Amino acid sequence: MTSRRARGVLAGDQSSKGSAAGVSSHIVIIGAGQAGLSAAEALRKRGHDGPVTLIGEEDAPPYQRPPLSKGYLSGELPADRLWLKPPAFYDMAKITLRTGVRVTALDRAAKRVITADGEAIGYDRLILATGGAARRPAIPGADLPGVHVLRTLAEADALSAALQGARRLAIIGAGYIGLEVAASARKRGLEVSVLEAADRPMSRTASPLLGGWFGALHRGYGVDLQVSAGVAAITGAQRADGVRLSDGERIEADVVLIAAGLNPGVSLAEAAGLDCADGVLVDAHARTSDRDIFAIGDMARFDSELYGRSLRLESVQNAIEQAKAAAAAICGAPAPYDPVPWFWSDQYAIKLQIAGLIEGADQMVRRGDPEEGAFALFHLKDGVLIACEAVNSAPEFMTAQRMIAARARPDPDRLRDVTVAMREFLS
Amino acid sequence: MGSDVFMAKITYIEASGAEHAVDVEDGLTVMEGAIRNLVPGIDADCGGACACATCHVYVDSDWADRTGPRSSMEESMLDFASDVRDNSRLSCQIKVSEALDGLIVRLPEQQG
């Protein structure tokens, strides 16, 4: 159902191609994260001459989120190395950056956005890049002081400050954020428990073998990782002092982090009547059900021809590339977006790189030895490569990206043979 | 940012020949030096995690010794960048120090 609606939007777009916004039109971008900033930059690179206003709810200028759970939290990367652009960039590119401004409503009829202060900002084209907020599941005690989530710089600062002087951290959720924070907190010398309701880490996105391997990695670094561990409550009277599992066990902690994924920021779009279904529905040009409104990044759901279903991707690559697609369409040079998704994660000395999405795979081919700390897992569906999980294996990752885009059907025996160079699969 | 921080002079030369001579703070990477000084031609999509190979540069031959060798991860990533040469590096993996004062790097036609 989702895909049919989005395809309808796409068809409409193709029939009226060429109605680009005039060079002097005003583009307003709501959300000053990676996606919003990338859109502003791409508009200028594409030659858009009119005003560009980039509105961010957070006080900080556009910054990189990935280090918040990694180098920034472990203390290796100072805040001034998070900024995506120096202050001079916004002047040079004539981008009006307005931080600390919350947009509360879209007025589509009058083509303007309304801020919390009641200000109305008119637009010719609007780009929604509102990302999302860290989920806070309804766990008893989740509102206690000492319970943290991690999505924004302010949240990272709050978590980091709380870890200062703390001894024990309990993390609810063993997804990427949970595990990256576990690694960073171990580096800072904390005792860390990770509590995961599923039977393995990264159960939502990674294969069982990879999830199990990362579980063992964390245990090797002294993390108390518990799987199939449902959380009954966060305990504490005045502030959090631990977590109680559904089997009654209690984990003591000075700080609790809930790492339970993202709530996509769709409330503005929904209230304005744009088509939404776990994300704002967009076509291959990032256009929503309103022709003058685009949506990009973590909260945009688009149809993937490559995967034959709609996707909502939470990644830097998606933020940047979908932003470029929106800018291209706005500037009258549409270039459809159908990416091979890719992701990375750094934990301890391990670099994980993932190309593609494993969902739907019916065959897994292992290349290299997990015991050696460098290996790749190739996932095929009906003989076609659809994903690769590469642990300290950049050639496998880089090659797989190209093979997935080409819908390659590699010979599994050659794929698992480490004496066959990855390059050979590209010829 | 104290005034005692050492700044290295680094010259970035675009494929078009346009030169950007800028001062880059000790401890940053050559990639960050380009971003902070608005030098075009370095995308650095992953922000310096050695995960994307979009900050490819050519190190001027006089400087190859001082920028040091590629790491094995960098080597693997570079394998898949376009127009890779013997003096190719990922600029996010070159740390700026006093020893690199005067460094010259050239930018490829395109990243990725």
Side-chain angles (χ1 to χ4, degrees), chain A residues 21 36-37 41 43 62 76 126 133 183 188 201 212 229 259 293 347 355 384 393 420:
Chain A
L37 183 273
E41 189 177 24
L43 283 165
E76 290 153 83
L126 178 65
R188 287 174 62 154
I293 304 181
Q347 297 170 38
V384 177
S393 297
V420 178

Side-chain angles (χ1 to χ4, degrees), chain A residues 34-35 38 296-298 315-324 337:
Chain A
Q34 177 81 64
S38 298
I296 58 175
D298 289 359
S315 72
V316 167
Q317 172 221 15
N318 180 62
I320 294 173
E321 300 299 329
Q322 203 168 27
K324 288 180 181 171
Y337 176 60

Side-chain angles (χ1 to χ4, degrees), chain A residues 23-393:
Chain A
V23 286
S24 62
S25 62
H26 183 200
I27 316 287
V28 172
I29 303 168
I30 306 178
Q34 177 81 64
L37 183 273
S38 298
E41 189 177 24
L43 283 165
R44 288 296 181 234
K45 278 192 177 157
R46 288 267 179 189
H48 177 77
D49 228 12
V52 173
T53 303
L54 180 58
I55 304 173
E57 186 171 346
E58 295 175 53
D59 291 326
Y63 61 88
Q64 308 176 58
R65 283 192 207 282
L68 296 185
S69 50
K70 309 181 185 89
Y72 185 66
L73 193 64
S74 64
E76 290 153 83
L77 199 72
D80 76 324
R81 292 179 75 178
L82 294 177
W83 313 135
L84 283 164
K85 296 290 178 187
F89 165 81
Y90 302 96
D91 288 339
M92 185 206 71
K94 298 194 175 60
I95 291 164
T96 305
L97 174 63
R98 299 193 52 185
T99 55
V101 174
R102 195 159 65 84
V103 173
T104 51
L106 311 181
D107 180 353
R108 289 167 56 195
K111 293 183 77 167
R112 51 186 203 160
V113 305
I114 314 297
T115 73
D117 291 340
E119 185 187 356
I121 303 171
Y123 65 82
D124 295 299
R125 296 284 189 276
L126 178 65
I127 300 177
L128 301 175
T130 41
R135 281 187 59 220
R136 274 183 188 261
I139 304 168
D143 295 332
L144 284 169
V147 179
H148 294 256
V149 294
L150 178 54
R151 163 77 180 176
T152 67
L153 179 55
E155 287 162 354
D157 287 337
L159 174 62
S160 191
L163 294 183
Q164 199 71 44
R167 209 161 60 76
R168 286 161 309 193
L169 167 67
I171 300 171
I172 300 173
Y176 289 109
I177 300 289
L179 292 184
E180 288 173 359
V181 170
S184 303
R186 287 298 294 151
K187 271 186 198 167
R188 287 174 62 154
L190 278 95
E191 289 174 33
V192 178
S193 292
V194 178
L195 312 165
E196 169 58 49
D199 63 358
R200 60 178 195 273
M202 306 190 296
S203 62
R204 203 166 54 90
T205 52
S207 64
L209 199 157
L210 188 76
W213 190 87
F214 269 92
L217 175 75
H218 279 270
R219 289 190 177 112
Y221 276 92
V223 172
D224 165 38
L225 170 68
Q226 305 200 25
V227 295
S228 305
V231 170
I234 296 168
T235 58
Q238 299 307 313
R239 56 178 298 113
D241 62 12
V243 174
R244 197 175 62 244
L245 302 181
S246 28
D247 68 3
E249 190 191 340
R250 189 158 171 284
I251 314 288
E252 285 187 28
D254 312 307
V255 180
V256 176
L257 173 73
I258 301 179
L262 181 84
N263 270 333
V266 297
S267 53
L268 283 176
E270 268 178 357
L274 299 176
D275 289 349
C276 296
D278 181 38
V280 181
L281 299 185
V282 298
D283 68 12
H285 305 282
R287 193 169 244 141
T288 68
S289 52
D290 180 326
R291 285 194 52 75
D292 294 324
I293 304 181
F294 296 75
I296 58 175
D298 289 359
M299 33 57 83
R301 178 172 287 280
F302 66 98
D303 261 0
S304 165
E305 211 175 292
L306 185 62
Y307 286 95
R309 64 178 189 270
S310 79
L311 302 176
R312 186 175 66 72
L313 300 172
E314 297 170 8
S315 72
V316 167
Q317 172 221 15
N318 180 62
I320 294 173
E321 300 299 329
Q322 203 168 27
K324 288 180 181 171
I330 289 170
C331 293
Y337 176 60
D338 190 20
V340 176
W342 65 266
F343 313 86
W344 83 88
S345 178
D346 295 319
Q347 297 170 38
Y348 309 105
I350 301 297
K351 181 172 294 295
L352 168 65
Q353 292 165 300
I354 297 178
L357 302 168
I358 64 168
E359 193 186 315
D362 53 30
Q363 186 183 5
M364 184 178 87
V365 177
R366 202 181 75 200
R367 179 181 166 96
D369 183 359
E371 301 280 308
E372 306 274 317
F375 64 99
L377 306 173
F378 293 89
H379 300 275
L380 298 90
K381 181 186 182 187
D382 302 325
V384 177
L385 184 67
I386 62 169
C388 171
E389 302 171 301
V391 173
N392 289 345
S393 297

